[in-house]
Amino acid sequence: MAIITSAFFSSMSFAGLFSGSLFQRFGMRQVGVTGGILYFLGTGMQLFATSTLHLIMAFSVVQGFAFGLMVPTCYTTFNHYFVKNRVMWMSFAQTLIGLGSMLYPIVMQKLMSWYGFRGCLLILTGLNAHAVFGMLVMHPVEWHMRRVPIQPEEQEELKELSPTVVIRVQPETPLKATREEPNFHTADPGARKLSHAEEQMLKVLSSRASSITSLGNWSGPVVVSDASPQMMHSLQTSRRPSTIAGASGAVAPAHATKKSWVRTIVDFLDLTLLKKPIFVNIVLGITFALYSDITFFTMQPVYLFELGYSRPDTATIIAIGAAADLASRIFLAITAVCIQVPSRYIYLAGAVFTVFARFAFNGITQFVGMACITAVIGFLRTWLHVPLPLVFADYLPKERFATGYGLFMFIQGNAMFLIGPIVGFIRDKTRDYIFVFHILNGFMILCAAPWVLEVLIVKFRRRNKIERNNVDHEDVDNQGRSAMVQ
């Protein structure tokens, strides 16, 4: 069972890693439908399984890979459709998932008692076939956009906000970004000059990547004169097509130079996201928190048996935790209507409060106290699962969400695959569940502590930047007054 489950998560993580690139090449809906078909076929293949190897191939490899394609499809589609009140709508969706997770084991147990193992699998194959129809309704959001007429005044404003930008580059310009700020000029000498705010916007856009290709985020046309071969290669790999003008001023297509295989992999998987410290902090934090949460609730029933609880009492405590989880999903959906809190702050609060609740859990042995603390931890568990995809949606732009979430799935799946056996070995050797729970709480702290530190650093830097800007404005005002006096 451990090998089958670990192989499932590993296969799912590899599928998630490639999902973003597959979306760009084949389309999100097509990839999702492929995942639905594979998920249905994987369940059907288990009907004929007669050994563990057959189950690994059918369940772990085929269904795991299919699940890794469907999850990014669902979350990316959700991210495209819902811009406002994401927490509320995700909470509603997760509430339905919570109801299903409570009813599904009961239904499967009844079906197995009525029809046997393979008869139950046959019915489950039919149920999982609905995954294909679920992926078919993942329409691109553009299909349902309405055409709104633009007034002449708005059209003039759009034209003014999209000037043509010229970036003069020497032939020996390296591919890597320099520390000097770019100088932006309009192509037409008679055209409107860029305002200070627009120049700052272009400077921010140009600093988001390690090359000039980050200007693909700019909405206006880009003209590069005297471009070097490296620059042509960089613009060819940009996500938005640009225009290359030679020394004579004639427009010609860019000729991309041959990329190294390392650069090809980096571009294909969008591994440049790993250069962003905040993204890495988000991925590692959620990875540690998820592992701690999943392992804790997996070990809790065994720990209760070790304390001498009967099966009915253990089932009652687990049911109380599941009911609290469901109530928390409903509570989060209702409160999100009135109070708008960033998803990452919700996740951080869940991690911090869970750390304190786990410490209290380790000192409780009585039934009433165990039921109460399990309800508290179950209530907080929602704060770790519902906002999870929204944390990435709030940080990443829409075009990079799929690749960013795929990288997270890959790192998280393989981290669980590596850390799980180590913690299991410690538990088997020591047979001390309290010690293992402290280790799991340490993983939760590895999520909360770096996130709190990041929040403090970002706020400190932002405050210093505001203070410097205020000082600069005061200096300018003082110089202006001095000039007026003179």
Side-chain angles (χ1 to χ4, degrees):
M1 286 299 298
I3 294 174
I4 291 173
T5 305
S6 299
F8 177 90
F9 283 107
S10 181
S11 180
M12 182 182 70
S13 66
F14 275 97
L17 178 64
F18 294 101
S19 60
S21 301
L22 294 175
F23 289 167
Q24 296 176 5
R25 179 165 298 186
F26 301 105
M28 185 168 56
R29 187 165 176 251
Q30 288 80 353
V31 173
V33 171
T34 303
I37 294 173
L38 290 175
Y39 195 77
F40 158 67
L41 293 177
T43 312
M45 291 169 61
Q46 295 175 50
L47 283 168
F48 310 100
T50 58
S51 66
T52 304
L53 181 61
H54 294 165
L55 287 177
I56 290 176
M57 289 299 300
F59 176 74
S60 303
V61 177
V62 178
Q63 277 197 293
F65 190 85
F67 200 70
L69 294 179
M70 290 192 296
V71 169
T73 302
C74 294
Y75 286 147
T76 305
T77 304
F78 182 92
N79 186 29
H80 286 177
Y81 273 88
F82 296 97
V83 179
K84 298 180 179 179
N85 298 324
R86 282 175 175 166
V87 175
M88 180 187 69
W89 293 113
M90 179 59 73
S91 299
F92 281 129
Q94 293 287 346
T95 301
L96 296 176
I97 293 175
L99 286 172
S101 63
M102 292 178 65
L103 296 176
Y104 222 68
I106 300 174
V107 173
M108 291 299 106
Q109 187 177 5
K110 293 293 184 182
L111 290 176
M112 286 188 65
S113 63
W114 292 342
Y115 303 105
F117 173 72
R118 300 192 187 277
C120 177
L121 267 179
L122 183 61
I123 297 174
L124 187 60
T125 302
L127 291 175
N128 287 347
H130 290 77
V132 180
F133 298 101
M135 294 298 104
L136 284 173
V137 299
M138 298 291 171
H139 295 170
V141 69
E142 292 80 9
W143 290 10
H144 303 282
M145 286 182 174
R146 293 179 297 174
R147 293 184 177 274
V148 180
I150 301 177
Q151 301 299 327
E153 297 81 6
E154 296 177 345
Q155 196 169 9
E156 291 297 328
E157 292 179 1
L158 290 174
K159 288 181 180 179
E160 290 180 359
L161 291 175
S162 300
T164 302
V165 179
V166 168
I167 305 155
R168 301 206 174 271
V169 184
Q170 297 299 326
E172 62 272 10
T173 300
L175 184 60
K176 295 183 179 178
T178 61
R179 295 186 178 180
E180 298 178 359
E181 293 185 348
N183 187 17
F184 301 100
H185 306 280
T186 53
D188 186 3
R192 178 183 64 87
K193 292 184 178 181
L194 296 181
S195 65
H196 177 72
E198 290 168 346
E199 285 191 1
Q200 292 298 323
M201 182 189 299
L202 289 176
K203 290 174 183 178
V204 170
L205 290 172
S206 66
S207 64
R208 287 184 179 175
S210 61
S211 67
I212 203 67
T213 57
S214 60
L215 286 175
N217 294 326
W218 173 245
S219 58
V222 178
V223 178
V224 180
S225 63
D226 300 329
S228 64
Q230 293 93 339
M231 183 62 66
M232 290 184 177
H233 158 68
S234 180
L235 286 166
Q236 184 69 18
T237 58
S238 178
R239 291 188 174 180
R240 292 190 180 184
S242 303
T243 307
I244 307 299
S248 61
V251 178
H255 297 283
T257 58
K258 187 176 181 180
K259 294 190 295 185
S260 65
W261 63 272
V262 176
R263 186 64 191 176
T264 302
I265 295 175
V266 170
D267 292 341
F268 183 73
L269 301 179
D270 202 5
L271 298 181
T272 53
L273 285 172
L274 298 179
K275 297 169 64 176
K276 297 178 178 294
I278 294 179
F279 176 78
V280 174
N281 195 20
I282 290 174
V283 169
L284 293 180
I286 295 180
T287 297
F288 291 138
L290 274 184
Y291 173 75
S292 176
D293 178 78
I294 293 173
T295 307
F296 175 83
F297 280 97
T298 301
M299 295 177 60
Q300 186 188 12
V302 185
Y303 172 66
L304 295 179
F305 289 142
E306 290 285 332
L307 292 179
Y309 282 76
S310 63
R311 287 184 179 272
D313 290 344
T314 301
T316 301
I317 292 176
I318 299 302
I320 290 174
D325 184 7
L326 182 61
S328 180
R329 294 169 192 253
I330 300 173
F331 169 79
L332 201 60
I334 295 174
T335 54
V337 178
C338 308
I339 305 173
Q340 299 295 325
V341 180
S343 302
R344 197 172 178 196
Y345 286 176
I346 298 175
Y347 203 100
L348 177 59
V352 172
F353 291 144
T354 299
V355 169
F356 291 106
R358 296 265 190 89
F359 280 124
F361 173 87
N362 293 337
I364 295 175
T365 56
Q366 299 298 322
F367 178 83
V368 176
M370 186 64 69
C372 293
I373 195 63
T374 301
V376 172
I377 297 175
F379 189 88
L380 295 173
R381 191 184 193 195
T382 295
W383 299 11
L384 300 177
H385 288 267
V386 170
L388 190 156
L390 303 182
V391 173
F392 293 94
D394 291 344
Y395 176 73
L396 296 171
K398 288 184 178 181
E399 62 272 10
R400 304 188 77 177
F401 172 81
T403 54
Y405 195 81
L407 278 174
F408 158 72
M409 290 179 61
F410 178 77
I411 294 173
Q412 188 254 343
N414 286 278
M416 292 184 66
F417 188 77
L418 294 175
I419 300 174
I422 299 175
V423 176
F425 177 79
I426 295 174
R427 180 197 60 189
D428 295 338
K429 288 294 182 182
T430 61
R431 303 299 299 178
D432 187 351
Y433 283 88
I434 298 297
F435 177 68
V436 176
F437 286 149
H438 282 307
I439 294 176
L440 297 179
N441 221 12
F443 282 114
M444 189 67 71
I445 293 174
L446 288 178
C447 169
W451 283 24
V452 172
L453 186 62
E454 178 196 321
V455 170
L456 295 177
I457 292 175
V458 170
K459 286 190 175 182
F460 178 77
R461 289 181 175 178
R462 187 179 300 167
R463 186 180 64 182
N464 287 346
K465 185 176 181 181
I466 293 174
E467 291 177 355
R468 286 197 302 268
N469 291 338
N470 291 336
V471 171
D472 293 340
H473 285 303
E474 290 177 359
D475 292 341
V476 172
D477 292 341
N478 293 334
Q479 291 176 2
R481 292 192 189 99
S482 301
M484 291 175 65
V485 170
Q486 292 175 0

